[in-house]
Amino acid sequence: EDQVTQSPEALRLQEGESSSLNCSYTVSGLRGLFWYRQDPGKGPEFLFTLYSAGEEKEKERLKATLTKKESFLHITAPKPEDSATYLCAVHDTGGFKTIFGAGTRLFVKA
Amino acid sequence: DGGITQSPKYLFRKEGQNVTLSCEQNLNHDAMYWYRQDPGQGLRLIYYSQIVNDFQKGDIAEGYSVSREKKESFPLTVTSAQKNPTAFYLCASKRGEGRRLLFNTGELFFGEGSRLTVL
């Protein structure tokens, strides 16, 4: 069964304290792993797509990496405005549906 | 600016009533989706449509109905058969090429969501 699991459920950081969020996935033939950011009461906003193991992408303080079984979202020197829920998702085996993890709620304190 | 518009943002429903959530996109995307989000859970797929006049059930379609009469529009009706409809509903779209494409692997573009509360 296609599945996405994110950890931790919540993460509290001090401003400037770097950390990583984890996304482990089970799918037959990965056709894309996605990271989204969601602010409270808003729709998710696309951040990155990764397609193959070893691939990395960066945007400001965020860096996403991918292995054969998991992806990490590294946050370097976070700021309070990075506080949000980060969602990981993969395409299902058929390729038409996107399966989401439950998300990691990130709180960054000034 | 292109995007997805959901309305209303907040909706209250009495027991036994049907309600319809609107979703309109001007991105010229073929594929459209409806997700439900509950606290502490991931987004769960209700219905999706790859092309006009065609749609498929997702993982939690019971108690919901949709139509896709126009490329730009994909309304969702929450019927009285849905036992626990209070949730945050998200509409999304994705570039696609209808049935000719085996896999539609692009990212999703989301609307701002509609929060439905049953009184």
Side-chain angles (χ1 to χ4, degrees):
Chain A
E1 180 186 355
D2 299 333
Q3 196 168 357
V4 177
T5 303
Q6 291 187 247
S7 62
E9 290 186 14
L11 181 62
R12 297 181 185 275
L13 300 173
Q14 288 292 127
E15 184 173 4
E17 180 187 0
S18 300
S19 188
S20 297
L21 314 182
N22 176 263
C23 171
S24 61
Y25 62 90
T26 305
V27 66
S28 302
L30 183 68
R31 294 187 179 90
L33 183 140
F34 303 85
W35 283 99
Y36 293 84
R37 169 187 169 132
Q38 185 177 24
D39 292 305
K42 304 285 189 182
E45 178 183 340
F46 169 73
L47 292 172
F48 304 110
T49 309
L50 302 166
Y51 287 105
S52 57
E55 190 175 358
E56 299 182 352
K57 288 193 178 174
E58 288 188 64
K59 180 180 181 180
E60 296 181 356
R61 294 176 292 283
L62 300 177
K63 178 180 176 181
T65 62
L66 181 65
T67 71
K68 288 188 177 180
K69 293 187 176 181
E70 58 190 351
S71 176
F72 293 92
L73 184 65
H74 308 278
I75 302 177
T76 302
K79 298 182 178 181
E81 53 262 42
D82 294 322
S83 298
T85 295
Y86 291 86
L87 300 171
C88 174
V90 298
H91 276 298
D92 75 328
T93 301
F96 285 114
K97 296 191 291 184
T98 304
I99 301 169
F100 285 83
T104 293
R105 288 174 294 149
L106 175 65
F107 304 92
V108 182
K109 187 176 180 181
Chain B
D1 287 337
I4 299 179
T5 301
Q6 289 187 239
S7 63
K9 189 169 179 64
Y10 299 97
L11 185 60
F12 298 91
R13 190 194 92 170
K14 293 182 180 179
E15 296 272 357
Q17 281 184 335
N18 292 354
V19 293
T20 297
L21 308 181
S22 170
C23 177
E24 303 278 333
Q25 56 102 355
N26 60 3
L27 299 167
N28 199 33
H29 287 173
D30 287 304
M32 296 188 75
Y33 304 78
W34 275 105
Y35 285 90
R36 169 180 172 143
Q37 188 175 34
D38 295 282
Q41 296 191 40
L43 278 65
R44 291 184 290 167
L45 183 63
I46 304 172
Y47 268 97
Y48 64 106
S49 168
Q50 296 293 321
I51 197 169
V52 174
N53 292 323
D54 190 28
F55 49 83
Q56 288 77 41
K57 292 182 179 180
D59 301 316
I60 55 166
E62 185 176 352
Y64 299 97
S65 66
V66 294
S67 62
R68 187 84 187 277
E69 297 176 0
K70 299 186 298 181
K71 187 175 183 178
E72 301 79 16
S73 180
F74 192 40
L76 174 73
T77 297
V78 185
T79 75
S80 57
Q82 169 50 234
K83 299 305 179 188
N84 184 22
T86 294
F88 189 51
Y89 290 88
L90 288 159
C91 179
S93 70
K94 183 164 54 172
R95 281 189 296 267
E97 295 171 10
R99 292 197 179 93
R100 291 176 295 165
L101 188 66
L102 283 178
F103 305 114
N104 186 348
T105 58
E107 70 270 21
L108 290 165
F109 293 76
F110 285 89
E112 289 288 276
S114 293
R115 186 167 299 281
L116 172 63
T117 303
V118 173
L119 302 173

